[in-house]
Amino acid sequence: MYFKIQYAKISQSYRLDDDSKSALGILIAVPGFWLILTLLAFLVFFLCRCCDASLKKKRKLTPLKWTLAIFALLCCGALSLGLFGNDQTHNGMKSAQTATENMEDIVMSVRNETREIEFILNKEINKDLDKLADLFKEPISNSTARVLLQQALAYMRSNVSKGVEQLQDINNKIDHVDLNKVPDTIHKVELFRWPVTISLLCVLIFFCFILLWGIIRHSRCFLIFFSVVGLMSVVLCWVLVSLYLGLCVAGSDFCLDPQPFLYKQAGSSIDTNVLTYYLQCDDSTVNPFTGPIKESTKTIDNVESTLNVVTQITSVFYPEKQVRETLDRLSTNLNTTEKTVSGMAALLNCQAMHKEYNAAMQATCIDIMEGTAYMLVSAAGAGLFFTVLIWVASHTWIHIRRKRRADHVDEEDPFLPPSAVQTNSRRNRDTYGSMGLFPRFGIPSTQTPHFSSLNGHSSDQAYMQGHYTPPPSYHQLSGGAFVGNQGNFSQRA
């Protein structure tokens, strides 16, 4: 019955995981649907603008320019928020990397110390015991003492074997723990994510500056260029929104209850009791290393107590220097083993590991999640602002007319109409001539006029009346006007 209940719980948790994955996929697809609708709206808008007949009418561009400038500054502010979020995420990733590296250092220290103790027990102490056994083969006068020494050696060998088994049990619990992949993965991801995000945001801010410069210079080319790159920016922003939204939802789900995910990722590589001990680290959890540590310490104490008895017996029956040196070396190895086991017990305590675990979770669920949320808001705001900017910029650059270049006109060309300068000079000459400042004698044309009959009169009379003035009067000939102008006339002649 118990196993059926546990199986039902596990099946229910997997069903919930499938439901959460489906919900996450729907949430990620929402920005994609919005992007598709935005692109369709732009397509309809540009088609309508192409068929609009009112584009030839002049419109005031000042309100449009102010709108573009305000929204461009707002877009720069939104992108700056993304830079802040990217920096905060980077700091959180570095903190998580440091915490996981410290956790890996603790595991590696325990693994190295267990191997060191195992080496001392298997190699050094057993080697000394074998040497003592060879020395004790020599016959002595007291057979009882010889039997006691042989029994003491066997007892020490048995305790050493038990100590090695306990150390192997500890090593087996943590031997498959490989936390080095976590900081390496974080380092590789952050090595590309941080500079790439900064570069993308800086490029988008540069596009906003291009728009502002086009507004200042009243440049049609800059506004058209921004409309093109702004469309690509809209696509990029909503793709980033999908990515950041998925990370925020998945991260919040993980931070709400991270233990099921950690148990699933650990699998069979880590003992469930060990993982629970380090994740919870409270009075209710049992230290899975307490038993092996106590047994290892007990075996070492037994070997030391037995060694003291052997030392007393050998001091009487085996006073040789070689036996004394072997016993001293054996005692030194046992003291080193005892200190190493005590240090390993301190490392296996959950407090140090749990402290690093809390630091990694705080960096993940506070710094990284807040930074990702800032970048999500930044990408969504920038996408909306770029949409408005493209719409207003398209209204603006269409009404900016190109200046026509002033072509050089040959004023000597007889087939072109008279220019303004020629018209004004001719008007002034006629006016001054009518006022009597100089005689208005008609200059005969080099071309022979064409004469035709019009209503019974000759057309040469109409031509003379339109182009030649009558001869000067007597008053003009005898007055000062003629005399004053005579010098000028003679000079002309």
Side-chain angles (χ1 to χ4, degrees):
M1 185 65 182
Y2 173 77
F3 292 104
K4 291 182 179 180
I5 295 173
Q6 295 297 324
Y7 178 76
K9 289 182 179 179
I10 294 173
S11 301
Q12 184 179 3
S13 64
Y14 278 109
R15 285 196 296 269
L16 290 176
D17 290 340
D18 293 337
D19 294 338
S20 62
K21 289 179 182 179
S22 301
L24 181 61
I26 293 173
L27 288 175
I28 293 175
V30 169
F33 291 140
W34 178 262
L35 175 61
I36 293 173
L37 293 177
T38 303
L39 295 178
L40 290 176
F42 276 136
L43 178 62
V44 174
F45 168 74
F46 287 124
L47 289 176
C48 294
R49 297 298 290 176
C50 292
C51 302
D52 194 358
S54 63
L55 297 179
K56 298 181 180 180
K57 297 180 181 179
K58 266 194 170 183
R59 293 186 178 181
K60 292 183 179 181
L61 301 180
T62 303
L64 296 176
K65 288 183 176 180
W66 276 106
T67 303
L68 286 174
I70 292 172
F71 276 94
L73 294 176
L74 291 175
C75 188
C76 290
L79 295 172
S80 300
L81 180 64
L83 291 174
F84 173 75
N86 181 53
D87 186 68
Q88 187 169 358
T89 303
H90 178 69
N91 295 331
M93 295 285 277
K94 296 295 289 184
S95 299
Q97 179 184 352
T98 303
T100 51
E101 286 177 351
N102 294 334
M103 295 169 66
E104 176 64 19
D105 291 339
I106 294 174
V107 174
M108 288 298 297
S109 298
V110 173
R111 187 180 291 118
N112 292 333
E113 289 190 358
T114 54
R115 290 175 180 175
E116 182 181 357
I117 296 173
E118 186 177 356
F119 174 79
I120 293 174
L121 293 177
N122 278 329
K123 301 295 182 180
E124 299 295 333
I125 294 179
N126 281 329
K127 181 179 179 181
D128 293 333
L129 293 177
D130 292 337
K131 191 171 184 179
L132 288 175
D134 293 336
L135 293 173
F136 293 159
K137 288 181 180 179
E138 297 180 1
I140 57 176
S141 58
N142 192 340
S143 60
T144 305
R146 184 178 180 183
V147 173
L148 288 176
L149 289 175
Q150 292 178 353
Q151 290 178 355
L153 290 177
Y155 183 71
M156 285 190 291
R157 287 180 185 277
S158 175
N159 281 279
V160 169
S161 299
K162 290 180 180 179
V164 172
E165 290 177 0
Q166 298 300 324
L167 291 173
Q168 289 178 350
D169 186 17
I170 295 175
N171 197 13
N172 291 332
K173 293 179 184 295
I174 62 171
D175 188 45
H176 298 287
V177 178
D178 187 12
L179 298 177
N180 196 26
K181 295 180 180 179
V182 178
D184 288 344
T185 304
I186 293 175
H187 176 70
K188 291 178 181 179
V189 170
E190 198 63 13
L191 186 64
F192 294 98
R193 188 206 65 82
W194 185 58
V196 168
T197 304
I198 290 179
S199 301
L200 289 177
L201 294 176
C202 290
V203 169
L204 296 179
I205 292 175
F206 178 70
F207 290 160
C208 295
F209 283 135
I210 288 177
L211 176 61
L212 292 173
W213 183 250
I215 295 170
I216 295 172
R217 295 296 302 271
H218 195 72
S219 175
R220 180 186 177 97
C221 295
F222 278 111
L223 294 180
I224 294 175
F225 176 75
F226 174 79
S227 299
V228 176
V229 298
L231 192 60
M232 294 187 295
S233 301
V234 169
V235 175
L236 177 62
C237 287
W238 289 112
V239 170
L240 292 177
V241 168
S242 297
L243 176 62
Y244 294 145
L245 182 61
L247 291 176
C248 286
V249 173
S252 61
D253 189 16
F254 167 75
C255 293
L256 185 64
D257 188 12
Q259 293 188 7
F261 176 79
L262 295 177
Y263 280 114
K264 184 177 180 180
Q265 292 298 318
S268 60
S269 61
I270 305 176
D271 190 2
T272 306
N273 296 327
V274 175
L275 188 58
T276 303
Y277 173 67
Y278 285 119
L279 292 180
Q280 296 181 5
C281 191
D282 52 11
D283 297 334
S284 62
T285 57
V286 179
N287 188 353
F289 302 104
T290 301
I293 292 295
K294 286 183 177 181
E295 291 295 328
S296 299
T297 306
K298 183 179 178 180
T299 55
I300 294 173
D301 292 338
N302 292 334
V303 173
E304 287 182 345
S305 61
T306 307
L307 183 62
N308 292 330
V309 175
V310 172
T311 303
Q312 293 177 1
I313 296 174
T314 55
S315 63
V316 177
F317 297 99
Y318 293 94
E320 292 85 359
K321 182 180 179 181
Q322 188 176 6
V323 174
R324 177 64 58 185
E325 290 178 353
T326 304
L327 293 174
D328 291 340
R329 187 169 56 250
L330 183 59
S331 178
T332 302
N333 289 330
L334 288 174
N335 291 330
T336 303
T337 303
E338 186 177 7
K339 292 179 180 179
T340 306
V341 170
S342 300
M344 186 178 62
L347 287 175
L348 289 173
N349 193 1
C350 66
Q351 293 180 357
M353 184 73 76
H354 190 69
K355 180 180 178 181
E356 299 299 334
Y357 167 72
N358 288 333
M361 291 302 299
Q362 183 176 2
T364 302
C365 298
I366 295 179
D367 295 336
I368 296 178
M369 291 303 298
E370 286 184 357
T372 307
Y374 286 143
M375 290 190 289
L376 172 62
V377 174
S378 172
L384 294 176
F385 288 140
F386 272 115
T387 302
V388 176
L389 288 174
I390 294 173
W391 176 59
V392 180
S394 301
H395 274 283
T396 305
W397 68 260
I398 291 178
H399 295 286
I400 296 178
R401 304 301 180 189
R402 293 181 178 178
K403 294 182 179 180
R404 295 181 179 178
R405 294 182 299 176
D407 296 332
H408 179 70
V409 179
D410 188 7
E411 296 183 356
E412 300 295 333
D413 192 352
F415 296 100
L416 293 177
S419 63
V421 177
Q422 294 175 345
T423 305
N424 291 334
S425 63
R426 181 177 299 174
R427 187 182 298 111
N428 292 334
R429 185 172 65 249
D430 294 341
T431 303
Y432 293 151
S434 63
M435 293 174 61
L437 296 179
F438 54 86
R440 295 184 295 172
F441 294 106
I443 301 175
S445 175
T446 57
Q447 298 179 357
T448 303
H450 179 73
F451 300 100
S452 62
S453 176
L454 180 62
N455 296 328
H457 297 281
S458 178
S459 62
D460 58 342
Q461 185 178 357
Y463 182 83
M464 293 294 292
Q465 290 179 358
H467 289 80
Y468 294 95
T469 60
S473 64
Y474 176 77
H475 174 71
Q476 291 176 347
L477 292 175
S478 62
F482 180 78
V483 176
N485 293 327
Q486 187 175 4
N488 295 331
F489 183 78
S490 62
Q491 290 177 1
R492 292 180 182 178

